[in-house]
Amino acid sequence: MSSGRASRRRFTLLAATAVAGALTLSACSGDGTEAGGGGNTNFVTGSGGISTVAKGERTNAPKLDGTTLDGKALDISDYKGKVVVLNVWGSWCAPCRAEARHFAKVARDTQDQGVQFVGINTRDPQKAAAINFEQDYGVTYPSLFDPTGKLLLRFPKGTLNPKAIPSTVVVDRDGKIAARTLAAVDAEKLREMIDPLIAEK
């Protein structure tokens, strides 16, 4: 009997440890130190949930390439010299639906200011649902098709990586990660992320 109780206690302890470990890996503190990221990451998270990195402290965005929902090859590095807004989304995601019209509008409003929007469609096993989503919400910019989330794993730990759906990461004109939010945003919040990068020389 005592060995059975000990086994249950050991299992409970292991389960609690696993849950705590998972929470630690996904936790992000407001002091610029991200758990699991190896120390100070040089980014600051504002009260609106937007994390930013000063120009001289940014890290390179990973290589993000693949096929778009309409079957074309796309490599983010082709947009170097532009501000690139990467939005991680899925057609099944309610917050993604809430922000989609805002993204479509800001993409149109900023295209003449050297800004390129690119979606990363993830966790959609079929392209059809994602294509219908873009048509429904007036999204005209390209989206990489990433059903298994492989592109998201290319972001190094300790950077402003997209760890939630939706997430938005903004890359500066030099191809470096400058800002991120892990929540749905409206047009105003989106401009808050983009406008300072448009103004950079």
Side-chain angles (χ1 to χ4, degrees):
M1 289 289 278
S2 63
S3 72
R5 252 184 264 125
S7 291
R8 280 194 299 275
R9 200 175 304 124
R10 210 170 20 252
F11 175 78
T12 302
L13 182 61
L14 285 171
T17 304
V19 169
L23 289 172
T24 300
L25 286 175
S26 65
C28 185
S29 64
D31 63 359
T33 303
E34 185 168 319
N40 194 331
T41 53
N42 296 324
F43 63 81
V44 176
T45 303
S47 58
I50 297 171
S51 302
T52 57
V53 183
K55 189 169 185 180
E57 299 173 345
R58 296 173 188 161
T59 57
N60 288 325
K63 181 169 178 59
L64 297 171
D65 61 339
T67 305
T68 62
L69 288 171
D70 59 0
K72 295 177 182 166
L74 179 85
D75 188 333
I76 301 300
S77 65
D78 291 343
Y79 295 125
K80 199 164 182 183
K82 291 188 172 194
V83 173
V84 179
V85 180
L86 301 169
N87 178 240
V88 180
W89 64 278
S91 66
W92 45 267
C93 159
C96 299
R97 290 193 290 273
E99 71 177 6
R101 289 192 198 285
H102 296 286
F103 275 76
K105 179 186 185 325
V106 176
R108 286 191 304 271
D109 292 349
T110 58
Q111 64 185 353
D112 293 334
Q113 296 174 283
V115 178
Q116 175 64 51
F117 277 64
V118 176
I120 300 177
N121 171 248
T122 193
R123 306 285 188 264
D124 268 320
Q126 309 286 321
K127 286 184 179 180
I131 290 168
N132 287 338
F133 175 101
E134 289 192 326
Q135 290 171 349
D136 289 346
Y137 292 100
V139 175
T140 56
Y141 52 83
S143 282
L144 287 164
F145 184 54
D146 185 31
T148 61
K150 286 181 181 176
L151 291 177
L152 307 185
L153 297 176
R154 294 185 185 177
F155 284 82
K157 282 185 180 180
T159 66
L160 292 180
N161 52 353
K163 298 187 295 185
I165 302 167
S167 290
T168 302
V169 174
V170 185
V171 178
D172 69 15
R173 290 189 178 94
D174 297 321
K176 295 179 183 294
I177 301 170
R180 178 197 67 185
T181 183
L182 298 175
V185 293
D186 60 15
E188 185 181 343
K189 287 284 183 193
L190 199 47
R191 292 302 297 250
E192 208 175 295
M193 296 175 74
I194 300 168
D195 288 351
L197 298 174
I198 291 173
E200 281 183 359
K201 300 297 176 202

